[in-house]
Amino acid sequence: MADTNTRPLALPAHHPALQCDPQLLLRAQDVRVAFFDVDGVLTDGGLLFSEGGETLKRFNTLDGHGLKLLQRAGITPAVITGRDSAPLRVRLKALGVEHAVFGTEDKQPAAEQILARLGLAWHQAAAMGDDWPDLPVMRRSAFACAPANAHVEVRHAAHLVTHARGGDGAARELCDLLLAATGRYAGLLEPYTA
């Protein structure tokens, strides 16, 4: 016969495991918008084509959740990409990303338009890219990030090079650091560990 008076065991307190360099946190503390490239950052950079010529992309759910968390913390995720595709637009809509510029290699003016719409300046921006077209935005932003497999020049311009490769959770690493820099990381994590 089962004992009906037993209580469930209390879970031990959870303490965030994320560790960030304090200098990086300080550099990122004023960030209110984060610019992301797509191919090589939110995807692995590979391009798959269907028989009908449609471009297929693989997105990582870790990155997607990170973009949603940024929004909850008051940081606007924005996408500036040299390509345009229906799958990309569907994915960004599902994530609630409202600021996106498609089909441009000249990314600095696109970023400046988004900054103007948001009433923000470069010192409030972070940027993540993997190749030369991303450098103008990364070099002007307060915080620059590159995935592990980015081009050498882009890694050299980055304040943070992620452990993960593009499309494999690299964007989530930047999101987590930005959340920690705002002081919101532990609070956003808490409901999942209660």
Side-chain angles (χ1 to χ4, degrees):
M1 176 183 245
D3 182 4
T4 57
N5 292 327
T6 60
R7 295 182 189 171
L9 293 175
L11 295 174
H14 180 85
H15 301 285
L18 181 70
Q19 299 291 317
C20 298
D21 180 327
Q23 290 182 336
L24 294 179
L25 293 174
L26 187 61
R27 176 173 281 282
Q29 72 181 358
D30 293 330
V31 168
R32 294 298 170 259
V33 60
F35 296 111
F36 294 90
D37 179 34
V38 174
D39 295 320
V41 173
L42 296 179
T43 75
D44 64 8
L47 297 174
L48 302 174
F49 295 95
S50 69
E51 287 182 20
E54 181 182 13
T55 304
L56 307 174
K57 297 181 183 285
R58 177 188 159 274
F59 296 95
N60 189 297
T61 58
L62 286 172
D63 294 338
H65 191 66
L67 295 178
K68 288 180 179 180
L69 290 170
L70 284 184
Q71 294 171 74
R72 288 174 53 193
I75 298 172
T76 302
V79 166
I80 304 173
T81 178
R83 298 188 185 275
D84 191 0
S85 69
L88 171 59
R89 288 182 182 254
V90 167
R91 181 64 176 147
L92 294 180
K93 183 176 181 182
L95 295 174
V97 175
E98 297 177 4
H99 299 277
V101 178
F102 304 95
T104 183
E105 291 293 320
D106 194 6
K107 297 184 177 189
Q108 179 186 337
E112 288 172 345
Q113 290 172 1
I114 292 171
L115 287 170
R117 264 186 264 144
L118 296 172
L120 299 174
W122 285 112
H123 74 274
Q124 297 169 295
M128 185 171 194
D130 72 314
D131 208 345
W132 292 5
D134 303 310
L135 285 170
V137 175
M138 291 175 64
R139 288 176 43 83
R140 284 165 177 77
S141 294
F143 194 90
C145 182
N149 59 322
H151 188 277
V152 62
E153 299 299 337
V154 177
R155 292 193 317 265
H156 181 71
H159 300 106
L160 171 68
V161 176
T162 64
H163 296 287
R165 297 171 59 86
D168 287 332
R172 179 59 176 274
E173 288 185 42
L174 173 58
C175 293
D176 287 348
L177 182 135
L178 294 176
L179 295 172
T182 65
R184 300 288 307 277
Y185 183 89
L188 289 166
L189 175 65
E190 195 274 331
Y192 299 96
T193 60

